[in-house]
Amino acid sequence: KYNHWFDGLALLHRFDFDNGVVKYHSKFLRSDSYVQALEQNRIVISEFGTAATPDPCKTVFQRFVSHFKPSPEEIASDNNIVSITRIGDGVYAANDTVILRRIDHNSLDTIERVDMSKLITIHTSTAHPHTMPDGTYYNIGINFKAGCYHVIEIAPDSKKDDPVEGAKILHTIPMESRMHPAYFHSFNMSANYIIFHEQPLRFSMFKVMTWKLFKSGVDALMSFHKNLKSNFHVCDKRTGEVLPLKFVSEPFVHFHVINSYEESGHLIIDLCGAGDSSGFDTLYLAYLKGIKVDDEESYKNSKLSKAQRSWPIRFVIPLDVTKESPKNTNLITLAGTTATAMLKKDGSVYLTCESLIPEDLRSKTCGMDFPQINYNFYNGKPYRYCYFTGFPEFVIPPDKLIKLDVKTKTTQIWQEDECYPSEPMFVPAPDATREDEGVVLSVVISPNKDKPTFVLVLDGESFKEVGRASIPCDIPLGVHGTFI
C-alpha cells in the first residue's frame, strides 16, 4: 500500500473535444516503478511518502550490502504523477526528479525514459518548468555535490534527436547551506528574469546520504526550519547573472506560482504561499481516512485542523535598489500595492507580501491553490485573471473553482454539492481579444454514486457553466495537465 496522495501509480488521462462529442482515454504510465511493482508484487522504488518494500528473495546480508550500492532507480522514481510538460515537439510526464518519461499524447503509450542527470549535473528538478512563446524551456535543479542550484535552459531550435539533449546550465546559484538544500516544486519567471524562492523547507544532507539505511519516503529527508528566512534569488535570463543583493522575507512555503512580470522598474512575484509545510501531513492517507467529515471533534483533534493553508500573495522587488539606497524605508514606488521592500543595515532587502484575495473569501474557503492563467499569452507579462481550486475545511479534496481578478481583488465561484473539481485549465478562444476570453476545463468527481464523474466547461469571462460531459467510470482525483 502507498501512504501518501503523491505516491499512487501515475495514470494518464486524455479528453478529446470534437464537434460536441467528448471522448475519454486513460492508461497507466509504464514507468519502471509501475512495471517492477507489478512484476514483483511489491513497491520496488521509494516514493514521496512511501519507502520501498525489501526484496524477500535477498538474504539479510545481501540487503545490508545493497544499502551501499544504490541504483539510480532507487534514488529517483520515474512514477511521474505530477504534470505533463512539453519540450520541443515532445510531451513528457514529469515529477520533482531528474527522470522524465516521454509519452505519445495520442495513444498515451509510454515511449522512453530520459535521465536529465546524464545531460547536466543535477539530482532533482521541478515538475513545473516554464516555456517562452518561442519554445525556450527553463527549469531549476539541485546539484547536491556542488552545493548549488542550476538554472536550466533548452533552446527551441535544438537539433538533437530528443530535444532534452540540448539542455544546458544558464546560471548557478550558491546554496545558503550546503548541508540543508531547499526543496522546491516550482519557480517564477518574468520576461527577463528567473525568480527562485530558496524556501525554509530543507533537505538534510545527512539523511539524503543515509537514506537507504533507514528506508523512508522522500518526505522524511526534509523538514521546515522556522528560524530561517525565505530567500529570493533573481537571475537575469539575458546575461545569466544573479542580482547581487539578498532579498528575504519571513519564512513561508510555496508549491505553485501564479505569474511574474516587470512594471515601472519593479518585479512583481505572485504565488500561493503557506506559513509552513504542515499541508504535506494532511495528504497522508492514514490522516485522511481517520477524519470523519461529519465529526467536528475528530477534525479538531487532527493535524488537518492545524495545517497551514495556501493563499495567493504578491511580493514586489524594486529592480533599481542598490547598497546605497535609503535604509529602513519602503523602496517600492509602484502604485496600487501594499507590498514593501526595505534595505537593511546588513545589506539585505526585507520584503513583505500583499494578499491578493478579498478578506471575505476566507470565510467561504480554507485555502486556494492549483493556479492557472492564460499562460501562452500572459505568462511573464502584466495580467489580470487567475483560476484556482478552493479548499474546504478538511483541505482535500477541493470543493470549488475560483476566478480571481488580481486588479480589483474580486472573485467568482463555481460550486456544487458533493462535487470535487480538479485543477482548472484555461483554454483561450482561437481568436481571443480579451485575456479571459475562452473556457475553463475541470474534471469533477463525487462520492455520490448517483453523480457520475464529468468534465466541466465554464465560460472564462462569466464563469458560468457552458456544458458538461459525464464519464461512465470512476477516476481518481488528478493533479496537473496541459492543453494540446
Side-chain angles (χ1 to χ4, degrees):
K1 294 181 180 179
Y2 290 101
N3 300 330
H4 198 279
W5 184 46
F6 292 172
D7 295 348
L9 293 169
L11 182 63
L12 302 171
H13 304 272
R14 190 181 84 245
F15 300 90
D16 292 340
F17 297 78
D18 185 18
N19 291 322
V21 175
V22 181
K23 296 179 181 179
Y24 170 68
H25 317 253
S26 69
K27 280 185 182 179
F28 277 98
L29 182 72
R30 259 61 179 182
S31 62
D32 292 348
S33 298
Y34 175 90
V35 172
Q36 293 181 34
L38 266 62
E39 287 178 347
Q40 301 184 39
N41 196 31
R42 65 185 179 92
I43 298 171
V44 179
I45 300 175
S46 294
E47 302 293 346
F48 183 84
T50 308
T53 304
D55 186 346
C57 298
K58 287 184 178 180
T59 65
V60 173
F61 178 74
Q62 286 173 324
R63 291 181 198 172
F64 177 77
V65 172
S66 71
H67 289 325
F68 302 96
K69 296 180 180 179
S71 65
E73 290 79 9
E74 291 169 316
I75 296 298
S77 170
D78 65 342
N79 178 34
N80 292 352
I81 192 175
V82 177
S83 63
I84 305 293
T85 186
R86 301 187 71 177
I87 306 176
D89 294 329
V91 179
Y92 302 81
N95 210 340
D96 285 329
T97 70
V98 292
I99 308 299
L100 298 173
R101 293 302 309 226
R102 190 167 185 171
I103 60 175
D104 182 323
H105 71 270
N106 288 309
S107 66
L108 296 186
D109 289 340
T110 305
I111 304 175
E112 62 199 283
R113 184 180 190 272
V114 179
D115 187 345
M116 294 278 283
S117 69
K118 299 291 178 61
L119 306 171
I120 47 179
T121 308
I122 55 172
H123 301 98
T124 72
S125 65
T126 81
H128 294 287
H130 280 291
T131 53
M132 297 291 285
D134 67 356
T136 305
Y137 167 101
Y138 293 97
N139 208 337
I140 297 180
I142 297 178
N143 184 333
F144 285 125
K145 293 180 180 179
C148 61
Y149 312 99
H150 291 312
V151 178
I152 305 157
E153 180 185 66
I154 301 178
D157 58 350
S158 173
K159 304 302 182 184
K160 308 292 184 180
D161 292 336
D162 189 315
V164 179
E165 295 179 9
K168 67 177 184 179
I169 295 173
L170 177 66
H171 197 75
T172 296
I173 301 170
M175 291 177 182
E176 181 179 42
S177 168
R178 294 187 61 152
M179 290 305 295
H180 294 97
Y183 167 81
F184 47 95
H185 184 68
S186 64
F187 61 97
N188 287 78
M189 183 182 78
S190 69
N192 295 305
Y193 296 95
I194 298 285
I195 305 99
F196 170 56
H197 172 209
E198 188 179 21
Q199 57 190 1
L201 179 56
R202 301 293 179 91
F203 287 102
S204 162
M205 284 307 297
F206 173 77
K207 291 181 179 180
V208 170
M209 291 184 289
T210 58
W211 185 24
K212 285 206 68 184
L213 291 172
F214 297 101
K215 285 292 179 185
S216 69
V218 177
D219 66 320
L221 307 179
M222 54 190 182
S223 58
F224 181 75
H225 295 245
K226 62 182 180 182
N227 58 315
L228 296 179
K229 299 292 185 185
S230 278
N231 301 320
F232 291 88
H233 302 276
V234 182
C235 176
D236 191 321
K237 287 165 20 185
R238 298 160 296 185
T239 65
E241 296 301 315
V242 174
L243 297 189
L245 291 185
K246 187 176 182 180
F247 301 95
V248 302
S249 77
E250 287 302 298
F252 76 97
V253 166
H254 96 271
F255 299 103
H256 299 118
V257 301
I258 303 172
N259 198 10
S260 280
Y261 60 93
E262 300 145 45
E263 182 178 343
S264 303
H266 295 77
L267 183 60
I268 289 83
I269 305 165
D270 293 349
L271 46 77
C272 291
D276 60 32
S277 61
S278 55
F280 271 157
D281 291 341
T282 69
L283 302 179
Y284 275 94
L285 304 188
Y287 294 135
L288 293 173
K289 290 176 180 177
I291 302 301
K292 298 177 181 178
V293 176
D294 58 352
D295 187 342
E296 187 175 345
E297 196 63 29
S298 168
Y299 170 72
K300 286 182 177 178
N301 293 331
S302 72
K303 288 191 175 184
L304 290 171
S305 65
K306 302 173 182 63
Q308 288 284 336
R309 304 328 195 219
S310 181
W311 298 99
I313 55 177
R314 168 173 291 179
F315 290 91
V316 179
I317 291 178
L319 292 170
D320 60 353
V321 62
T322 68
K323 291 183 178 180
E324 286 70 43
S325 297
K327 294 181 175 59
N328 297 315
T329 184
N330 185 14
L331 299 174
I332 295 174
T333 57
L334 187 69
T337 181
T338 59
T340 66
M342 295 188 182
L343 181 64
K344 297 297 183 180
K345 290 182 179 180
D346 62 3
S348 65
V349 179
Y350 181 79
L351 308 174
T352 66
C353 67
E354 169 189 358
S355 173
L356 289 178
I357 62 166
E359 282 305 312
D360 66 332
L361 188 61
R362 291 180 182 267
S363 63
K364 299 176 184 177
T365 188
C366 286
M368 295 166 61
D369 213 317
F370 293 93
Q372 283 276 353
I373 63 169
N374 186 341
Y375 187 92
N376 288 345
F377 295 98
Y378 288 88
N379 182 51
K381 302 175 183 177
Y383 77 112
R384 183 167 179 174
Y385 302 107
C386 187
Y387 305 90
F388 302 81
T389 53
F391 291 85
E393 190 173 33
F394 293 93
V395 184
I396 285 287
D399 67 345
K400 60 180 71 68
L401 296 171
I402 301 171
K403 177 185 178 181
L404 172 67
D405 184 330
V406 298
K407 183 177 180 180
T408 62
K409 295 186 180 178
T410 55
T411 58
Q412 294 165 272
I413 295 175
W414 178 91
Q415 188 171 22
E416 191 172 299
D417 289 345
E418 297 182 298
C419 286
Y420 302 97
S422 71
E423 169 189 55
M425 189 174 301
F426 181 82
V427 181
D431 300 311
T433 58
R434 298 178 299 279
E435 180 183 343
D436 56 352
E437 185 179 354
V439 294
V440 175
L441 305 176
S442 180
V443 181
V444 183
I445 63 175
S446 175
N448 187 335
K449 294 300 181 183
D450 295 327
K451 283 195 171 186
T453 299
F454 61 91
V455 179
L456 174 68
V457 184
L458 300 176
D459 180 81
E461 295 180 88
S462 68
F463 218 52
K464 301 296 183 182
E465 182 172 332
V466 175
R468 63 177 68 181
S470 297
I471 306 168
C473 60
D474 289 334
I475 67 174
L477 183 66
V479 193
H480 301 287
T482 190
F483 173 74
I484 297 178

